[in-house]
Amino acid sequence: MRRAVPLIAALALLGGCSQPTDGSASPGGATAGTATGTPSAPIPSGEQSKRPKTIDIKGVDPCTLLTEAQRAEFGLDRPPRADIETGKPGCSTGREDRKYSIAVYLDSTKGIETYTDPPRPDVTRLEVGGFPAVLVESTTAAGLACSVDVDVADGQLVDVQAFSLGDTDVKSLCQVVQPVAAAVMANLDR
C-alpha cells in the first residue's frame, strides 16, 4: 500500500493540473507557494513580471530544495543525487518505474533574459511564487523535457526540469514540473 500512495499522488497531479492556475488554488486545496502550489497563469508576452525579492542561489544545495515528503507526494521514489551539468550545481531524482525524472539546477551564470530577450516561440511566461518564470518544452534525440526556469536574481535562475525517455509526453511533463517548481521555490524562499 505504501508504494501505491506516491503513484496515486502522481496520477492525481497529472489529472488535476491540466492548465496553470491563477495561483489561488491547486490540487488538494493548497495555495501557490506551498509544497503542492502551482504557478500562476501565463503572462502576456508584452508584460514583464517583477521579482518580489532577490534570492542569491550561490552556495545553496539543490538537494535540499525538495523535502522527502514532497518527493513522495510527487511520486519521486528514487533517492536524490547530486548532479553537475556544465558546472551548475544540481540534484536529480526520479521514479522507480522510470516514467519521468526531475532535476533541479541552480544557474548563477545566466538570467531569465536568455529565454525572453528576444521572445522565443517555445517559451511561455509564468510566475512561480510571485517570481517571473518561463516554461520551456523540448523534444530531442535524448528524450522529452519540460522545464520551468525561475528568475531569482540578476544573472541567476532556478531550472526545474521534468524529463522522460518517451514514457511520458511533453504536455504531461509540463503538468508534473509546474507544482514541483512551486515547491522548490517555496523551500528556497524560506
Side-chain angles (χ1 to χ4, degrees):
M1 180 63 183
R2 295 186 107 208
R3 292 185 61 83
V5 173
L7 180 59
I8 292 168
L11 291 173
L13 281 173
L14 289 173
C17 298
S18 62
Q19 295 294 320
T21 66
D22 65 3
S24 61
S26 63
T31 57
T34 63
T36 58
T38 58
S40 62
I43 299 171
S45 61
E47 298 178 25
Q48 182 66 27
S49 175
K50 304 238 185 299
R51 288 192 272 328
K53 65 181 178 179
T54 298
I55 300 175
D56 186 358
I57 57 173
K58 293 177 186 167
V60 173
D61 179 356
C63 286
T64 64
L65 296 177
L66 281 176
T67 67
E68 187 175 334
Q70 289 167 332
R71 289 191 310 271
E73 180 179 342
F74 296 126
L76 303 169
D77 49 8
R78 296 179 63 97
R81 69 184 200 301
D83 187 9
I84 301 296
E85 179 187 290
T86 321
K88 298 182 278 187
C91 187
S92 60
T93 183
R95 297 170 49 103
E96 281 296 327
D97 65 9
R98 302 193 188 279
K99 190 169 183 178
Y100 58 83
S101 297
I102 298 290
V104 177
Y105 294 101
L106 304 178
D107 192 340
S108 58
T109 64
K110 66 181 177 185
I112 198 168
E113 65 279 353
T114 303
Y115 300 100
T116 60
D117 298 325
R120 293 176 20 187
D122 61 338
V123 170
T124 303
R125 292 177 186 240
L126 304 170
E127 279 188 3
V128 178
F131 289 83
V134 292
L135 180 78
V136 182
E137 299 177 25
S138 60
T139 303
T140 67
L144 309 173
C146 187
S147 65
V148 174
D149 295 285
V150 185
D151 178 36
V152 293
D154 290 345
Q156 296 186 31
L157 58 84
V158 175
D159 179 12
V160 183
Q161 302 176 9
F163 49 93
S164 171
L165 297 176
D167 294 340
T168 305
D169 63 75
V170 173
K171 295 296 181 193
S172 295
L173 290 173
C174 289
Q175 293 168 3
V176 168
V177 76
Q178 291 182 66
V180 174
V184 165
M185 286 306 298
N187 293 336
L188 183 62
D189 195 23
R190 289 186 182 162

